[in-house]
Amino acid sequence: MKSAISIPVTVKLSPFFTNFANVARRLDDAGADGLVLFNRFYQPDIDLDELEIRPNVLLSAPQALRLPLTWIGILYGRLHASLAATSGVHSAEDAIKLLMAGASVTMMCSALLRNGINHLRHTERGISDWMEQHEYESVRQMQGSMSQQRCSDPSAFERAQYMRAVKSLQHVLGRG
């Protein structure tokens, strides 16, 4: 496609790949200008009383942020394509985290549907205030500062960290 057109090409991706890093690398090698992590698919439901398929739009929750945060943090600095974060972006803090992981842009839909378009002003003000408080002069300065390549503990993005988290959870629950 890139050889046939002159406009930028961005690919919306789902997280449902066996080897997501390989897919991202192949799209980058093919010339994708950007990757959107992660597209939410429409998922209908079945009404058991009426025996009909029903539309079911599920808005994201802030907890959905973790998946794009993880993959953007891992991919940042390893691809030429820009990285866009979607799913779970509800606040200034969410946007800041994703930018620090390496996102070039964050996308906010569910929060706007819930809170209205004026939520953007609140979010922008929150980002500006945070940047001023932490002495960041630009978004570019913070972008990728907490990516796997730049953070003080790169293993925090890896599976071994999951095992440490599970063990700490067991301790909190009194099972460890």
Side-chain angles (χ1 to χ4, degrees), residues 79-119:
L79 303 176
H80 294 97
S82 63
L83 301 169
T86 185
S87 199
V89 185
H90 288 259
S91 67
E93 292 81 7
D94 296 338
I96 291 165
K97 288 176 184 182
L98 287 161
L99 292 166
M100 293 183 86
S104 298
V105 64
T106 65
M107 300 178 186
M108 177 184 284
C109 180
S110 294
L112 296 178
L113 289 171
R114 283 188 179 108
N115 303 308
I117 195 72
N118 286 330
H119 186 65

Side-chain angles (χ1 to χ4, degrees), residues 40-109:
R40 292 171 55 91
F41 289 105
Y42 167 68
Q43 299 173 356
D45 198 1
I46 297 175
D47 181 324
L48 295 176
D49 294 324
E50 299 296 324
L51 299 177
E52 292 179 356
I53 304 295
R54 299 281 184 187
N56 187 20
V57 176
L58 296 175
L59 298 178
S60 75
Q63 296 80 1
L65 177 85
R66 299 287 192 247
L67 188 59
L69 181 84
T70 300
W71 279 107
I72 288 170
I74 290 169
L75 295 174
Y76 178 81
R78 293 182 167 94
L79 303 176
H80 294 97
S82 63
L83 301 169
T86 185
S87 199
V89 185
H90 288 259
S91 67
E93 292 81 7
D94 296 338
I96 291 165
K97 288 176 184 182
L98 287 161
L99 292 166
M100 293 183 86
S104 298
V105 64
T106 65
M107 300 178 186
M108 177 184 284
C109 180

